[in-house]
Amino acid sequence: MSTGPVPQTERVPVGVDPTRASIARVYDAFLGGKDNYEIDREVRDGVLTEAPYAEHLAIENRDFLIRSVRFIAQQTGIMQFLDCGSGLPTAENTHQVVQRIRPEAEVIYVDNDPVVAAHGRALLEENDHTALIDADIFEPDAVLDNAVVREHLDFTQPIALLHIGTLHHYEGPADKPAEIMRRYYERLPSGSFVSISHFLDPENEHTPMARRAEDKFRHSPMGSGSFRTLDEIRSLFGDLELVEPGVIRLADWWQDGPRLTPLNEAQHCIAGGVARKP
Ligand code: SAM
């Protein structure tokens, strides 16, 4: 692990500790972005030695975010999106995907990473329908009662809640993520949608790769990244109505066309789905 000085070429925003890996920056490193430091790339490289193709966990995840958000914007008429754990800005961000289809839609991003805040605020400066708040996404009441959330979102109308690539970073009791999501669902209006993705233990010949990656993530300076089974991931949706085809590998969730190449190992190890609150 590197604890030496940060090279001059890496500009560090005020308040950011470049000697500690961050989830947002490690994810950015996996996606080939530039908003990461040496310590983050070391986490990425450590995982890649144990789990080749692990960058496809991030690639599949991001593709699913774009597909599921586009689906919700196009097909449900929902005009308000709450993106929990939004991550660093990348090629296609939630508000861009949504507002291309529904220009007046409100998009609220929630993240607690100071680098995300620095980049996000700059990106959103000229967009009246989009805001970024600093809150703990594992505290539903704190998110839903946030003043900016209350100002932008109308809780008498359906809301699209995104928890994409977030819940596997909760490091506490194993059954707590389902409880956290239940609290969100209790407070969302009827007709709301949720999109969730999560690292998957596929309980087959790819389980060893999932468990090796998990071990590397959790024992790295980033410190989180749990792989759950399909049943466990399904439980994150509580009693909501799952949209077809249910909770499955992201690689199989309404792809843009036929698959021409076999899945790599990492593509077997991330799953999710979309559901509606009746
Ligand atoms: N949702 C984006 C996507 O799928 O492309 C980004 C996923 S990234 C793996 C997870 C994000 O969740 C990071 O940006 C991280 O800072 C944020 N995050 C993790 N724990 C959080 C917490 N307790 N409160 C707020 N944000 C958190």
Side-chain angles (χ1 to χ4, degrees):
M1 156 172 130
S2 157
T3 50
V6 178
Q8 295 269 313
T9 48
E10 298 197 317
R11 290 175 51 238
V12 180
V14 176
V16 173
D17 181 356
T19 65
R20 289 181 51 202
S22 102
I23 297 166
R25 299 191 321 247
V26 170
Y27 183 65
D28 178 73
F30 270 113
L31 287 175
K34 292 190 169 54
D35 297 314
N36 49 76
Y37 306 131
E38 185 65 31
I39 188 90
D40 308 306
R41 295 188 287 274
E42 282 176 10
V43 174
R44 175 197 62 191
D45 296 345
V47 174
L48 280 169
T49 57
E50 290 296 326
Y53 305 112
E55 72 274 22
H56 287 270
L57 294 171
I59 294 168
E60 283 297 330
N61 189 66
R62 193 72 201 178
D63 281 356
F64 171 72
L65 179 147
I66 294 166
R67 291 201 304 287
S68 67
V69 164
R70 193 169 56 217
F71 160 75
I72 294 170
Q74 265 171 351
Q75 307 241 11
T76 70
I78 286 182
M79 291 292 287
Q80 357 187 47
F81 290 73
L82 183 59
D83 185 351
C84 291
S86 43
L88 280 154
T90 173
E92 281 194 271
N93 302 294
T94 301
H95 73 286
Q96 290 156 332
V97 177
V98 169
Q99 290 167 355
R100 200 175 300 135
I101 299 162
R102 302 194 180 275
E104 305 283 297
E106 299 286 329
V107 178
I108 306 299
Y109 291 115
V110 189
D111 211 292
N112 65 357
D113 187 300
V115 181
V116 172
H119 284 77
R121 295 227 162 85
L123 178 74
L124 302 176
E125 227 155 48
E126 287 173 13
N127 188 322
D128 291 342
H129 294 293
T130 311
L132 171 75
I133 65 161
D134 173 0
D136 185 344
I137 56 173
F138 302 135
E139 295 286 346
D141 290 321
V143 172
L144 299 176
D145 292 332
N146 179 282
V148 176
V149 170
R150 304 308 295 192
E151 181 196 326
H152 280 261
L153 304 187
D154 172 359
F155 278 72
T156 68
Q157 297 298 317
I159 292 170
L161 172 69
L162 315 180
H163 250 282
I164 301 188
T166 52
L167 293 160
H168 47 228
H169 292 298
Y170 179 79
E171 282 291 313
D175 52 357
K176 184 79 178 171
E179 187 188 318
I180 291 169
M181 294 313 292
R182 259 199 314 278
R183 181 64 183 151
Y184 275 109
Y185 305 152
E186 272 169 19
R187 295 200 48 191
L188 288 178
S190 164
S192 291
F193 276 70
V194 62
S195 176
I196 297 174
S197 65
H198 197 292
F199 291 154
L200 170 70
D201 170 357
E203 299 183 285
N204 59 21
E205 69 274 24
H206 303 295
T207 288
M209 130 96 208
R211 293 301 169 198
R212 283 198 311 274
E214 176 178 73
D215 191 56
K216 270 290 178 186
F217 276 127
R218 297 190 66 209
H219 297 104
S220 73
M222 188 178 83
S224 64
S226 300
F227 285 62
R228 287 190 158 79
T229 65
L230 213 46
D231 277 347
E232 289 169 338
I233 298 174
R234 210 172 279 120
S235 76
L236 300 173
F237 290 89
D239 295 331
L240 303 193
E241 291 168 351
L242 284 165
V243 169
E244 284 292 310
V247 180
I248 56 167
R249 278 192 306 237
L250 300 186
D252 297 330
W253 198 92
W254 298 110
Q255 281 288 344
D256 296 331
R259 179 165 293 287
L260 302 179
T261 52
L263 298 183
N264 63 47
E265 231 187 350
Q267 290 172 313
H268 287 274
C269 295
I270 186 157
V274 174
R276 176 182 181 276
K277 178 171 173 175

